[in-house]
Structure formats: structure tokens, C-alpha cells
Amino acid sequence: MNIILLGAPGSGKGTMAQKLTSELKIPQISTGDIFRKNLKEETPLGLQIKDIVSGGGLVPDEITIQIVKNRLAEADCANGYILDGFPRSIVQAEALDAFQDIDCAINLDVDKETVVKRLSGRRFCPDCNGTFHISSLANATVCPVCGGKLVIRPDDSEATVRERLRVYEQNTLPLIDYYAKRGNLVTIDGDGTVDEVYARIIKALHR
Ligand code: AP5
């Protein structure tokens, strides 16, 4: 099954993708994680996109599309995948349609206040890409999965979150109409506990 997760920054795409990937046994492809890895390793790509990502903007479509195209050609995607954070613009969606069939686009619907609350308490593990919230961590500095050091993402500052939300509304929100018109959009109420939201997704996928 080829699944897209849509939703505002902090709507829970990464959290839900991690649960889906372990249940459905198909990989999570997060463009955000791919970019963060390049930033951490200071690759030529990382240096090129550093200011864009830290400012909350979008990496140019041509770069992002090529990265996803290469990743989806890998063997582990043969039985399906979960795209987390891609596409993020109409240009990206059209490019994806040119080489892949998408079964379902899941839109996580969460209000702005919830998003800000979630992102202000988010902790990220750069070693295993785990995403957590301080409210569910016994120790806010140690990854409960791999023991790595948890960090606050640099783009989770209040000013950058505001910019990411603006960029989302301008570039990514139109994708809801795009997939609705194709008849494969499922909108999920993203408010509630992680387990509640996940159960709604599973129910929708079984329909
Ligand atoms: P990316 O990493 O994709 O960031 P994002 O889309 O802004 O999404 P987030 O990772 O912030 O949030 P999320 O929806 O995954 O929520 P999460 O599960 O973490 O991209 C980063 C940057 O890379 C972009 O700004 C851009 O520069 C670049 N980029 C990436 N893709 C690109 C593309 N296609 N084109 C161009 N540029 C691109 O949850 C958030 C918090 O809430 C966590 O703490 C979590 O524990 C908690 N939480 C989640 N669900 C619940 C729940 N139900 N109840 C309570 N807490 C919850």
C-alpha cells in the first residue's frame, strides 16, 4: 500500500508514520529526516539547505523530488511505503503522480493551538529519529528507545514554527483539494491521544 501522510507541522505525521511502519512492515520515508541527516553530517546537500530548513522554508522542489524518486526506487519500497512530509506542493504531487500510484492520502486535521503546544514540547533523537513529547518522557534528555541524547529541533523555535505554519498554508494546504478530487483523501481528526488518532487511521485504512 502506498500511503501519504498530510498535515500541518506538528500534526503527528512522524508519530503516526512510525506506528504504521512497524504494523504494516513498509518503510517510512520522511523527507524531513533525510534532510536532517544531511544537515547533521554536513554533506554538500546539508550545507546547501541549512538556511532554508532552519528558517522554516521549503527545500526546492527539484532537489526534493529527485531524492524521493531515488528513495522509492529502493527494494524495500516494492511492497509499499508511507510518505511523511512529501509531497508538500502541487509541483511535488504532480511529479509523484508521474511515477507512482498512491492508494491513500491521510490528512491529519489538528488546530493551530494544539500544534504549537505539541511542537513546544517535542524532543527528537538524532540517532534513531525517534520523536517524543516531554509529557510522556520520564527523562527529557535520554531517548527511551536507543539511549541517545534527545534534542530540541532548531526549527521548533516559536518564530520558525510560525513561519512553517505560514509556508504550510500557502504551499501544502492546496494538496487537500488535490487528493480529494482524485478520490483518495481520508481526513482524520488528529486531536486526541496518540492511540486514539492511530486507531482512527487503522479504521479508515480498513474501509
Ligand atoms: P518535517 O520534519 O517534515 O517537518 P513538519 O512537516 O513541519 O512536520 P513535523 O516533523 O514538525 O511534525 P509532524 O507532523 O511529523 O509531528 P510529530 O509526529 O513530530 O520537515 C522539516 C523541514 O524539512 C521543513 O520545514 C522543510 O524545510 C524541509 N522539508 C521536508 N520535507 C520537504 C518537502 N517535501 N519539500 C520541501 N522541503 C521539505 O509530532 C509533534 C509532537 O507532538 C511530538 O512531540 C509528538 O510526540 C507529539 N504528538 C504527536 N501526536 C500526538 C498526539 N496524538 N497527542 C499528543 N501528542 C502528540
Side-chain angles (χ1 to χ4, degrees), residues 106-135:
I106 299 170
N107 172 39
L108 292 174
D109 186 25
V110 177
D111 64 57
K112 262 191 198 172
E113 239 170 79
T114 306
V115 158
V116 172
K117 208 157 84 189
R118 285 183 184 175
L119 292 182
S120 63
R122 173 161 61 185
R123 295 294 180 272
F124 173 71
C125 176
D127 294 337
C128 71
N129 290 331
T131 291
F132 311 95
H133 195 270
I134 42 170
S135 58

PDB file of all heavy atoms in Angstrom, residues 106-135:
ATOM      1  N   ILE A 106      -3.668  10.468   3.680  1.00  0.00           N
ATOM      2  CA  ILE A 106      -4.290  10.670   5.002  1.00  0.00           C
ATOM      3  C   ILE A 106      -3.956  12.071   5.491  1.00  0.00           C
ATOM      4  O   ILE A 106      -2.784  12.420   5.652  1.00  0.00           O
ATOM      5  CB  ILE A 106      -3.766   9.622   6.016  1.00  0.00           C
ATOM      6  CG1 ILE A 106      -4.130   8.221   5.545  1.00  0.00           C
ATOM      7  CG2 ILE A 106      -4.318   9.899   7.406  1.00  0.00           C
ATOM      8  CD1 ILE A 106      -3.458   7.119   6.352  1.00  0.00           C
ATOM      9  N   ASN A 107      -4.994  12.858   5.702  1.00  0.00           N
ATOM     10  CA  ASN A 107      -4.788  14.225   6.168  1.00  0.00           C
ATOM     11  C   ASN A 107      -5.085  14.296   7.670  1.00  0.00           C
ATOM     12  O   ASN A 107      -6.206  14.044   8.098  1.00  0.00           O
ATOM     13  CB  ASN A 107      -5.730  15.153   5.390  1.00  0.00           C
ATOM     14  CG  ASN A 107      -5.730  16.555   5.939  1.00  0.00           C
ATOM     15  OD1 ASN A 107      -4.681  17.082   6.336  1.00  0.00           O
ATOM     16  ND2 ASN A 107      -6.900  17.174   5.997  1.00  0.00           N
ATOM     17  N   LEU A 108      -4.071  14.626   8.471  1.00  0.00           N
ATOM     18  CA  LEU A 108      -4.261  14.745   9.921  1.00  0.00           C
ATOM     19  C   LEU A 108      -4.708  16.170  10.244  1.00  0.00           C
ATOM     20  O   LEU A 108      -3.948  17.116  10.065  1.00  0.00           O
ATOM     21  CB  LEU A 108      -2.954  14.420  10.651  1.00  0.00           C
ATOM     22  CG  LEU A 108      -2.491  12.969  10.568  1.00  0.00           C
ATOM     23  CD1 LEU A 108      -1.124  12.809  11.213  1.00  0.00           C
ATOM     24  CD2 LEU A 108      -3.497  12.040  11.231  1.00  0.00           C
ATOM     25  N   ASP A 109      -5.935  16.279  10.704  1.00  0.00           N
ATOM     26  CA  ASP A 109      -6.535  17.583  10.935  1.00  0.00           C
ATOM     27  C   ASP A 109      -6.398  17.977  12.418  1.00  0.00           C
ATOM     28  O   ASP A 109      -6.999  17.331  13.285  1.00  0.00           O
ATOM     29  CB  ASP A 109      -8.022  17.495  10.521  1.00  0.00           C
ATOM     30  CG  ASP A 109      -8.698  18.836  10.577  1.00  0.00           C
ATOM     31  OD1 ASP A 109      -7.995  19.861  10.466  1.00  0.00           O
ATOM     32  OD2 ASP A 109      -9.930  18.868  10.744  1.00  0.00           O
ATOM     33  N   VAL A 110      -5.585  18.995  12.676  1.00  0.00           N
ATOM     34  CA  VAL A 110      -5.327  19.428  14.061  1.00  0.00           C
ATOM     35  C   VAL A 110      -5.351  20.950  14.098  1.00  0.00           C
ATOM     36  O   VAL A 110      -4.843  21.599  13.183  1.00  0.00           O
ATOM     37  CB  VAL A 110      -3.937  18.922  14.536  1.00  0.00           C
ATOM     38  CG1 VAL A 110      -3.623  19.411  15.931  1.00  0.00           C
ATOM     39  CG2 VAL A 110      -3.863  17.403  14.508  1.00  0.00           C
ATOM     40  N   ASP A 111      -5.949  21.539  15.171  1.00  0.00           N
ATOM     41  CA  ASP A 111      -5.979  23.010  15.201  1.00  0.00           C
ATOM     42  C   ASP A 111      -4.616  23.579  15.590  1.00  0.00           C
ATOM     43  O   ASP A 111      -3.772  22.894  16.164  1.00  0.00           O
ATOM     44  CB  ASP A 111      -7.107  23.529  16.103  1.00  0.00           C
ATOM     45  CG  ASP A 111      -6.896  23.146  17.546  1.00  0.00           C
ATOM     46  OD1 ASP A 111      -5.841  23.490  18.100  1.00  0.00           O
ATOM     47  OD2 ASP A 111      -7.782  22.488  18.121  1.00  0.00           O
ATOM     48  N   LYS A 112      -4.453  24.888  15.258  1.00  0.00           N
ATOM     49  CA  LYS A 112      -3.148  25.551  15.411  1.00  0.00           C
ATOM     50  C   LYS A 112      -2.636  25.529  16.845  1.00  0.00           C
ATOM     51  O   LYS A 112      -1.450  25.338  17.094  1.00  0.00           O
ATOM     52  CB  LYS A 112      -3.248  27.004  14.947  1.00  0.00           C
ATOM     53  CG  LYS A 112      -2.766  27.227  13.539  1.00  0.00           C
ATOM     54  CD  LYS A 112      -2.642  28.712  13.260  1.00  0.00           C
ATOM     55  CE  LYS A 112      -2.599  28.941  11.756  1.00  0.00           C
ATOM     56  NZ  LYS A 112      -2.668  30.336  11.385  1.00  0.00           N
ATOM     57  N   GLU A 113      -3.558  25.733  17.802  1.00  0.00           N
ATOM     58  CA  GLU A 113      -3.145  25.786  19.212  1.00  0.00           C
ATOM     59  C   GLU A 113      -2.521  24.464  19.654  1.00  0.00           C
ATOM     60  O   GLU A 113      -1.502  24.422  20.339  1.00  0.00           O
ATOM     61  CB  GLU A 113      -4.384  26.038  20.073  1.00  0.00           C
ATOM     62  CG  GLU A 113      -4.290  27.291  20.906  1.00  0.00           C
ATOM     63  CD  GLU A 113      -5.627  27.589  21.531  1.00  0.00           C
ATOM     64  OE1 GLU A 113      -5.949  26.948  22.544  1.00  0.00           O
ATOM     65  OE2 GLU A 113      -6.351  28.444  20.973  1.00  0.00           O
ATOM     66  N   THR A 114      -3.134  23.372  19.223  1.00  0.00           N
ATOM     67  CA  THR A 114      -2.612  22.037  19.569  1.00  0.00           C
ATOM     68  C   THR A 114      -1.225  21.843  18.955  1.00  0.00           C
ATOM     69  O   THR A 114      -0.313  21.330  19.598  1.00  0.00           O
ATOM     70  CB  THR A 114      -3.575  20.942  19.047  1.00  0.00           C
ATOM     71  OG1 THR A 114      -4.869  21.221  19.556  1.00  0.00           O
ATOM     72  CG2 THR A 114      -3.145  19.553  19.468  1.00  0.00           C
ATOM     73  N   VAL A 115      -1.068  22.290  17.706  1.00  0.00           N
ATOM     74  CA  VAL A 115       0.211  22.161  17.005  1.00  0.00           C
ATOM     75  C   VAL A 115       1.316  22.884  17.779  1.00  0.00           C
ATOM     76  O   VAL A 115       2.395  22.337  18.030  1.00  0.00           O
ATOM     77  CB  VAL A 115       0.063  22.749  15.575  1.00  0.00           C
ATOM     78  CG1 VAL A 115       1.392  23.141  15.012  1.00  0.00           C
ATOM     79  CG2 VAL A 115      -0.652  21.765  14.666  1.00  0.00           C
ATOM     80  N   VAL A 116       1.041  24.108  18.192  1.00  0.00           N
ATOM     81  CA  VAL A 116       2.047  24.904  18.908  1.00  0.00           C
ATOM     82  C   VAL A 116       2.401  24.216  20.230  1.00  0.00           C
ATOM     83  O   VAL A 116       3.576  24.102  20.600  1.00  0.00           O
ATOM     84  CB  VAL A 116       1.534  26.354  19.117  1.00  0.00           C
ATOM     85  CG1 VAL A 116       2.470  27.138  20.030  1.00  0.00           C
ATOM     86  CG2 VAL A 116       1.403  27.054  17.763  1.00  0.00           C
ATOM     87  N   LYS A 117       1.377  23.701  20.932  1.00  0.00           N
ATOM     88  CA  LYS A 117       1.620  23.011  22.208  1.00  0.00           C
ATOM     89  C   LYS A 117       2.478  21.755  21.981  1.00  0.00           C
ATOM     90  O   LYS A 117       3.431  21.496  22.707  1.00  0.00           O
ATOM     91  CB  LYS A 117       0.270  22.616  22.826  1.00  0.00           C
ATOM     92  CG  LYS A 117       0.311  22.542  24.340  1.00  0.00           C
ATOM     93  CD  LYS A 117      -1.046  22.716  24.958  1.00  0.00           C
ATOM     94  CE  LYS A 117      -1.794  21.394  24.969  1.00  0.00           C
ATOM     95  NZ  LYS A 117      -3.191  21.530  25.367  1.00  0.00           N
ATOM     96  N   ARG A 118       2.165  21.017  20.929  1.00  0.00           N
ATOM     97  CA  ARG A 118       2.922  19.780  20.656  1.00  0.00           C
ATOM     98  C   ARG A 118       4.374  20.094  20.303  1.00  0.00           C
ATOM     99  O   ARG A 118       5.297  19.459  20.788  1.00  0.00           O
ATOM    100  CB  ARG A 118       2.274  18.998  19.508  1.00  0.00           C
ATOM    101  CG  ARG A 118       1.005  18.291  19.938  1.00  0.00           C
ATOM    102  CD  ARG A 118       0.459  17.490  18.779  1.00  0.00           C
ATOM    103  NE  ARG A 118      -0.810  16.866  19.111  1.00  0.00           N
ATOM    104  CZ  ARG A 118      -1.538  16.197  18.250  1.00  0.00           C
ATOM    105  NH1 ARG A 118      -1.130  16.053  17.011  1.00  0.00           N
ATOM    106  NH2 ARG A 118      -2.676  15.653  18.625  1.00  0.00           N
ATOM    107  N   LEU A 119       4.572  21.090  19.432  1.00  0.00           N
ATOM    108  CA  LEU A 119       5.947  21.370  18.976  1.00  0.00           C
ATOM    109  C   LEU A 119       6.801  21.975  20.081  1.00  0.00           C
ATOM    110  O   LEU A 119       8.003  21.732  20.139  1.00  0.00           O
ATOM    111  CB  LEU A 119       5.922  22.283  17.744  1.00  0.00           C
ATOM    112  CG  LEU A 119       5.358  21.644  16.480  1.00  0.00           C
ATOM    113  CD1 LEU A 119       5.422  22.606  15.310  1.00  0.00           C
ATOM    114  CD2 LEU A 119       6.090  20.347  16.124  1.00  0.00           C
ATOM    115  N   SER A 120       6.164  22.724  20.989  1.00  0.00           N
ATOM    116  CA  SER A 120       6.968  23.338  22.052  1.00  0.00           C
ATOM    117  C   SER A 120       7.457  22.282  23.047  1.00  0.00           C
ATOM    118  O   SER A 120       8.412  22.530  23.770  1.00  0.00           O
ATOM    119  CB  SER A 120       6.188  24.451  22.754  1.00  0.00           C
ATOM    120  OG  SER A 120       5.066  23.893  23.372  1.00  0.00           O
ATOM    121  N   GLY A 121       6.825  21.094  23.050  1.00  0.00           N
ATOM    122  CA  GLY A 121       7.279  20.039  23.971  1.00  0.00           C
ATOM    123  C   GLY A 121       7.934  18.863  23.262  1.00  0.00           C
ATOM    124  O   GLY A 121       8.205  17.831  23.863  1.00  0.00           O
ATOM    125  N   ARG A 122       8.204  19.027  21.968  1.00  0.00           N
ATOM    126  CA  ARG A 122       8.765  17.903  21.220  1.00  0.00           C
ATOM    127  C   ARG A 122      10.252  17.708  21.549  1.00  0.00           C
ATOM    128  O   ARG A 122      11.002  18.655  21.675  1.00  0.00           O
ATOM    129  CB  ARG A 122       8.624  18.138  19.713  1.00  0.00           C
ATOM    130  CG  ARG A 122       9.362  17.055  18.914  1.00  0.00           C
ATOM    131  CD  ARG A 122       8.917  16.949  17.498  1.00  0.00           C
ATOM    132  NE  ARG A 122       9.115  18.159  16.726  1.00  0.00           N
ATOM    133  CZ  ARG A 122       8.688  18.299  15.477  1.00  0.00           C
ATOM    134  NH1 ARG A 122       8.024  17.323  14.895  1.00  0.00           N
ATOM    135  NH2 ARG A 122       8.893  19.426  14.834  1.00  0.00           N
ATOM    136  N   ARG A 123      10.655  16.453  21.664  1.00  0.00           N
ATOM    137  CA  ARG A 123      12.075  16.102  21.771  1.00  0.00           C
ATOM    138  C   ARG A 123      12.366  15.084  20.678  1.00  0.00           C
ATOM    139  O   ARG A 123      11.547  14.214  20.387  1.00  0.00           O
ATOM    140  CB  ARG A 123      12.407  15.500  23.147  1.00  0.00           C
ATOM    141  CG  ARG A 123      12.235  16.470  24.304  1.00  0.00           C
ATOM    142  CD  ARG A 123      13.216  17.629  24.251  1.00  0.00           C
ATOM    143  NE  ARG A 123      13.034  18.559  25.377  1.00  0.00           N
ATOM    144  CZ  ARG A 123      12.195  19.586  25.362  1.00  0.00           C
ATOM    145  NH1 ARG A 123      11.456  19.840  24.291  1.00  0.00           N
ATOM    146  NH2 ARG A 123      12.096  20.373  26.417  1.00  0.00           N
ATOM    147  N   PHE A 124      13.559  15.221  20.073  1.00  0.00           N
ATOM    148  CA  PHE A 124      13.910  14.406  18.900  1.00  0.00           C
ATOM    149  C   PHE A 124      15.220  13.689  19.168  1.00  0.00           C
ATOM    150  O   PHE A 124      16.139  14.251  19.781  1.00  0.00           O
ATOM    151  CB  PHE A 124      14.038  15.360  17.692  1.00  0.00           C
ATOM    152  CG  PHE A 124      14.550  14.704  16.451  1.00  0.00           C
ATOM    153  CD1 PHE A 124      13.749  13.811  15.739  1.00  0.00           C
ATOM    154  CD2 PHE A 124      15.824  14.965  15.979  1.00  0.00           C
ATOM    155  CE1 PHE A 124      14.224  13.203  14.579  1.00  0.00           C
ATOM    156  CE2 PHE A 124      16.309  14.373  14.826  1.00  0.00           C
ATOM    157  CZ  PHE A 124      15.495  13.483  14.128  1.00  0.00           C
ATOM    158  N   CYS A 125      15.305  12.423  18.725  1.00  0.00           N
ATOM    159  CA  CYS A 125      16.548  11.673  18.870  1.00  0.00           C
ATOM    160  C   CYS A 125      17.261  11.618  17.514  1.00  0.00           C
ATOM    161  O   CYS A 125      16.794  10.926  16.602  1.00  0.00           O
ATOM    162  CB  CYS A 125      16.264  10.254  19.372  1.00  0.00           C
ATOM    163  SG  CYS A 125      17.795   9.286  19.446  1.00  0.00           S
ATOM    164  N   PRO A 126      18.382  12.312  17.353  1.00  0.00           N
ATOM    165  CA  PRO A 126      19.087  12.300  16.068  1.00  0.00           C
ATOM    166  C   PRO A 126      19.692  10.934  15.741  1.00  0.00           C
ATOM    167  O   PRO A 126      20.020  10.670  14.595  1.00  0.00           O
ATOM    168  CB  PRO A 126      20.212  13.338  16.253  1.00  0.00           C
ATOM    169  CG  PRO A 126      19.878  14.095  17.493  1.00  0.00           C
ATOM    170  CD  PRO A 126      19.037  13.183  18.344  1.00  0.00           C
ATOM    171  N   ASP A 127      19.822  10.044  16.736  1.00  0.00           N
ATOM    172  CA  ASP A 127      20.412   8.727  16.465  1.00  0.00           C
ATOM    173  C   ASP A 127      19.415   7.768  15.826  1.00  0.00           C
ATOM    174  O   ASP A 127      19.740   7.059  14.877  1.00  0.00           O
ATOM    175  CB  ASP A 127      20.968   8.125  17.760  1.00  0.00           C
ATOM    176  CG  ASP A 127      22.145   8.945  18.286  1.00  0.00           C
ATOM    177  OD1 ASP A 127      22.776   9.654  17.471  1.00  0.00           O
ATOM    178  OD2 ASP A 127      22.413   8.902  19.499  1.00  0.00           O
ATOM    179  N   CYS A 128      18.162   7.710  16.357  1.00  0.00           N
ATOM    180  CA  CYS A 128      17.196   6.737  15.807  1.00  0.00           C
ATOM    181  C   CYS A 128      15.989   7.421  15.161  1.00  0.00           C
ATOM    182  O   CYS A 128      15.043   6.744  14.751  1.00  0.00           O
ATOM    183  CB  CYS A 128      16.743   5.758  16.894  1.00  0.00           C
ATOM    184  SG  CYS A 128      15.661   6.484  18.135  1.00  0.00           S
ATOM    185  N   ASN A 129      15.996   8.768  15.074  1.00  0.00           N
ATOM    186  CA  ASN A 129      14.888   9.548  14.513  1.00  0.00           C
ATOM    187  C   ASN A 129      13.607   9.439  15.320  1.00  0.00           C
ATOM    188  O   ASN A 129      12.518   9.738  14.810  1.00  0.00           O
ATOM    189  CB  ASN A 129      14.597   9.162  13.051  1.00  0.00           C
ATOM    190  CG  ASN A 129      15.691   9.596  12.108  1.00  0.00           C
ATOM    191  OD1 ASN A 129      16.375  10.584  12.368  1.00  0.00           O
ATOM    192  ND2 ASN A 129      15.896   8.846  11.042  1.00  0.00           N
ATOM    193  N   GLY A 130      13.699   8.984  16.563  1.00  0.00           N
ATOM    194  CA  GLY A 130      12.503   8.888  17.414  1.00  0.00           C
ATOM    195  C   GLY A 130      11.978  10.277  17.772  1.00  0.00           C
ATOM    196  O   GLY A 130      12.757  11.207  17.971  1.00  0.00           O
ATOM    197  N   THR A 131      10.654  10.392  17.814  1.00  0.00           N
ATOM    198  CA  THR A 131      10.017  11.663  18.176  1.00  0.00           C
ATOM    199  C   THR A 131       9.189  11.452  19.435  1.00  0.00           C
ATOM    200  O   THR A 131       8.398  10.501  19.502  1.00  0.00           O
ATOM    201  CB  THR A 131       9.102  12.133  17.027  1.00  0.00           C
ATOM    202  OG1 THR A 131       9.930  12.500  15.928  1.00  0.00           O
ATOM    203  CG2 THR A 131       8.284  13.332  17.417  1.00  0.00           C
ATOM    204  N   PHE A 132       9.354  12.335  20.406  1.00  0.00           N
ATOM    205  CA  PHE A 132       8.663  12.178  21.691  1.00  0.00           C
ATOM    206  C   PHE A 132       8.127  13.528  22.154  1.00  0.00           C
ATOM    207  O   PHE A 132       8.467  14.562  21.599  1.00  0.00           O
ATOM    208  CB  PHE A 132       9.644  11.624  22.749  1.00  0.00           C
ATOM    209  CG  PHE A 132      10.407  10.426  22.254  1.00  0.00           C
ATOM    210  CD1 PHE A 132      11.671  10.576  21.684  1.00  0.00           C
ATOM    211  CD2 PHE A 132       9.844   9.163  22.299  1.00  0.00           C
ATOM    212  CE1 PHE A 132      12.368   9.481  21.189  1.00  0.00           C
ATOM    213  CE2 PHE A 132      10.527   8.066  21.800  1.00  0.00           C
ATOM    214  CZ  PHE A 132      11.797   8.228  21.246  1.00  0.00           C
ATOM    215  N   HIS A 133       7.293  13.452  23.193  1.00  0.00           N
ATOM    216  CA  HIS A 133       6.807  14.689  23.808  1.00  0.00           C
ATOM    217  C   HIS A 133       7.178  14.650  25.274  1.00  0.00           C
ATOM    218  O   HIS A 133       7.096  13.585  25.907  1.00  0.00           O
ATOM    219  CB  HIS A 133       5.284  14.814  23.630  1.00  0.00           C
ATOM    220  CG  HIS A 133       4.799  16.189  23.921  1.00  0.00           C
ATOM    221  ND1 HIS A 133       4.402  16.585  25.172  1.00  0.00           N
ATOM    222  CD2 HIS A 133       4.694  17.286  23.126  1.00  0.00           C
ATOM    223  CE1 HIS A 133       4.052  17.871  25.131  1.00  0.00           C
ATOM    224  NE2 HIS A 133       4.225  18.309  23.897  1.00  0.00           N
ATOM    225  N   ILE A 134       7.589  15.802  25.814  1.00  0.00           N
ATOM    226  CA  ILE A 134       8.076  15.803  27.203  1.00  0.00           C
ATOM    227  C   ILE A 134       7.033  15.247  28.176  1.00  0.00           C
ATOM    228  O   ILE A 134       7.395  14.671  29.185  1.00  0.00           O
ATOM    229  CB  ILE A 134       8.547  17.198  27.686  1.00  0.00           C
ATOM    230  CG1 ILE A 134       7.597  18.277  27.219  1.00  0.00           C
ATOM    231  CG2 ILE A 134       9.967  17.504  27.237  1.00  0.00           C
ATOM    232  CD1 ILE A 134       7.877  19.631  27.866  1.00  0.00           C
ATOM    233  N   SER A 135       5.741  15.392  27.811  1.00  0.00           N
ATOM    234  CA  SER A 135       4.688  14.928  28.724  1.00  0.00           C
ATOM    235  C   SER A 135       4.725  13.407  28.926  1.00  0.00           C
ATOM    236  O   SER A 135       4.210  12.899  29.922  1.00  0.00           O
ATOM    237  CB  SER A 135       3.317  15.350  28.199  1.00  0.00           C
ATOM    238  OG  SER A 135       3.142  14.818  26.912  1.00  0.00           O
TER     239      SER A 135
END
